[in-house]
Amino acid sequence: MITRRNFTAGAATLLAAGHISTRARAATTSWDMSTVWPDGNFHTQNAMAFAEEVKKQTGGSVAITVKAGGQLGFKGPEHLRAVRDGLVPLADVLNIQQVGDEPFMGVESIPFLCGSVDELKVLHKYVRPEYEKIAARNNQKILYIVPWPTQYLHLKAKVADVEGLKNIKIRVPDKNAVDMLNAIGMAAVMIPWGETIPALASGAVAGVSTSSVSGVDGKFWEFLKYVYPTNHVWSSQMLTVNLDSWKALSADQQKLVADIAAKMEPGFWANSLKADVDSLNRLKEGGMEVVPVSDAMMMEIRSKTAPQLDAFLKRVPAADKPVRAYLAEMKRG
């Protein structure tokens, strides 16, 4: 028989259990992370490794679920706004695609500003503080930044000079790349990654300006035949977290997560270099031919795109000081 005393005791036990459950739930933070890149992409693999390490070191109190391949419905150019507005707590943000909101983010896509990953590291010494300020005013914090490897022109046609590139319709990821490839006579079209493969399949474009890694992601050998190592621009992915979500963590959790990101970032850069080598080999295995770009062709491409440096600095005055400091260190100032 249930007495009043038994009922009261039972209710108290259930209530206490409820409080414990509530506290347990409150102590666990679950974040979804948005990325447009597929599971096999090295950026996504980096993010998964980061999430696993965060889970391990926080004892599961901070749980990050990587939503790859655009599962959450956000396109690359929307990620800065999505994190800013709290539509998603974490996102892998491609810097050069955010220039509509933050023009400075296009600095790495100034043609031939950097010629190697080592030069890019020097550039980041000067521009990363500006990236951090941009993130902060967009209600987010950068956890780590990892570059894409060198860029290529992936084309259906085989060409020997700049004249051969004329009027080829090519997909590019950002406005600076539109200006660059239009300057050498191509017909550049800005298309987000999620719409690139349909554009290739339909014949809407006959080439893509991107990394070898993305070439493998898109199985370019099904649509294109030639790869040109032009190394014309760089870009980076930034894993950012919404500041309101970040501030909901305890100070200890924040330190752990930030320390993990800082510790893992150099390894993620190394993964980028390896991914380029592996992906270029995979493109060749798929039947694509890597076509050396002649010195004369590269000189003409560089000459035709050289005005974009001053044009960018004029359009984005905040970039003038860090870029010129970088050029001075490279003895190109």
Side-chain angles (χ1 to χ4, degrees), residues 78-99:
E78 299 168 342
H79 270 150
L80 189 73
R81 291 190 295 269
V83 176
R84 180 193 68 195
D85 298 340
L87 301 178
V88 64
L90 283 165
D92 201 19
V93 180
L94 177 54
N95 58 358
I96 61 171
Q97 287 189 328
Q98 316 310 313
V99 295

Side-chain angles (χ1 to χ4, degrees), residues 166-178:
K166 192 172 182 180
N167 296 326
I168 292 177
K169 202 164 186 180
I170 186 167
R171 174 267 177 184
V172 297
D174 68 296
K175 178 61 168 62
N176 283 347
V178 170

Side-chain angles (χ1 to χ4, degrees), residues 153-157 164-172 181-182 185-191 196 199-200 202-209 223-224:
L153 299 181
H154 306 257
L155 303 177
K156 190 173 290 187
L165 297 173
K166 192 172 182 180
N167 296 326
I168 292 177
K169 202 164 186 180
I170 186 167
R171 174 267 177 184
V172 297
L181 295 184
N182 283 350
M186 303 186 81
V189 184
M190 190 163 56
I191 301 176
T196 297
L200 281 171
S202 68
V205 295
V208 180
S209 171
F223 312 100
L224 305 169

Side-chain angles (χ1 to χ4, degrees), residues 63-78:
I64 299 170
T65 302
V66 179
K67 298 290 187 177
Q71 289 179 50
L72 298 181
F74 301 109
K75 296 178 181 179
E78 299 168 342

Side-chain angles (χ1 to χ4, degrees), residues 35-56:
T35 179
V36 300
W37 313 116
D39 285 339
N41 185 284
F42 80 95
H43 283 298
T44 305
Q45 292 293 311
N46 285 345
M48 289 177 173
F50 174 70
E52 184 61 32
E53 193 64 20
V54 167
K55 180 180 179 181
K56 176 183 174 182

